[in-house]
């Protein structure tokens, strides 16, 4: 099951809702392929579907740019088979740096800087479970 959080800056009005974790739609590669919009990722998933040696992990994750603090809430997916492997990565939409996955906890001040004002820190507040 996944969790939804609201990120709030302690210095400005920045707020963002994010969804992290595992939902029912991530139980199979076929299901993931049905909602993925990126054609390159869809093709890569297709390369692993049907291979009995394939193992995969997929969930919604929070990604943060280490350079400019931009935030993305995106699918994490890793697929490994006897003959191939793939792990998704994201480029920052602002500065094109490779984004890093970040873990958050309810009501724990995150060590993330605000992407809007760059002075404040973000706090994550849980508001619902999702599946």
């Amino acid at each position: 099951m996944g969790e939804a959080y609201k990120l709030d800056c302690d210095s400005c009005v920045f707020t963002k809702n994010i969804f992290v974790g595992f939902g029912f739609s991530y139980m199979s590669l076929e299901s993931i392929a049905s909602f993925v919009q990126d054609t390159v990722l869809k093709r890569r998933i297709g390369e692993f579907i049907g291979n009995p040696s394939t193992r995969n992990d997929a969930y919604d994750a929070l990604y943060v740019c280490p350079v400019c603090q931009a935030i993305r809430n995106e699918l994490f997916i890793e697929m490994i088979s006897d003959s191939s492997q793939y792990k998704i990565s994201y480029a920052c939409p602002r500065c094109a740096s490779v984004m890093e996955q970040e873990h958050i906890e309810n009501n724990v001040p995150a060590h993330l800087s605000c992407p809007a004002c760059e002075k404040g820190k973000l706090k994550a507040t849980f508001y619902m479970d999702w599946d």
Side-chain angles (χ1 to χ4, degrees):
M1 183 178 309
E3 298 174 332
Y5 291 91
K6 182 178 178 186
L7 298 179
D8 291 301
C9 177
D10 63 6
S11 285
C12 74
V13 296
F14 176 83
T15 186
K16 183 171 181 77
N17 293 330
I18 61 163
F19 297 84
V20 296
F22 181 85
F24 287 122
S25 57
Y26 298 146
M27 294 182 75
S28 72
L29 289 177
E30 291 84 1
S31 177
I32 296 167
S34 73
F35 67 80
V36 167
Q37 299 295 313
D38 183 296
T39 56
V40 174
L41 178 56
K42 192 178 286 272
R43 180 183 52 78
R44 289 301 308 246
I45 292 170
E47 293 170 5
F48 286 88
I49 290 175
N51 183 333
S53 71
T54 296
R55 299 169 310 282
N56 69 286
D57 191 17
Y59 52 86
D60 283 335
L62 174 65
Y63 290 88
V64 178
C65 178
V67 175
C68 72
Q69 307 309 310
I71 294 173
R72 289 180 72 167
N73 190 191
E74 300 288 347
L75 169 70
F76 169 84
I77 187 165
E78 182 175 31
M79 301 172 286
I80 301 169
S81 72
D82 291 343
S83 60
S84 187
Q85 63 183 21
Y86 174 84
K87 182 177 180 180
I88 198 159
S89 67
Y90 293 99
C92 175
R94 288 188 193 168
C95 70
S97 297
V98 175
M99 300 188 85
E100 298 173 352
Q101 195 176 134
E102 188 68 43
H103 178 73
I104 59 171
E105 294 181 48
N106 185 35
N107 287 322
V108 175
H111 56 278
L112 303 175
S113 296
C114 177
C117 72
E118 298 177 2
K119 295 179 284 191
K121 296 295 181 190
L122 299 180
K123 179 180 178 183
T125 305
F126 170 85
Y127 69 90
M128 75 173 191
D129 289 319
W130 63 270
D131 55 354

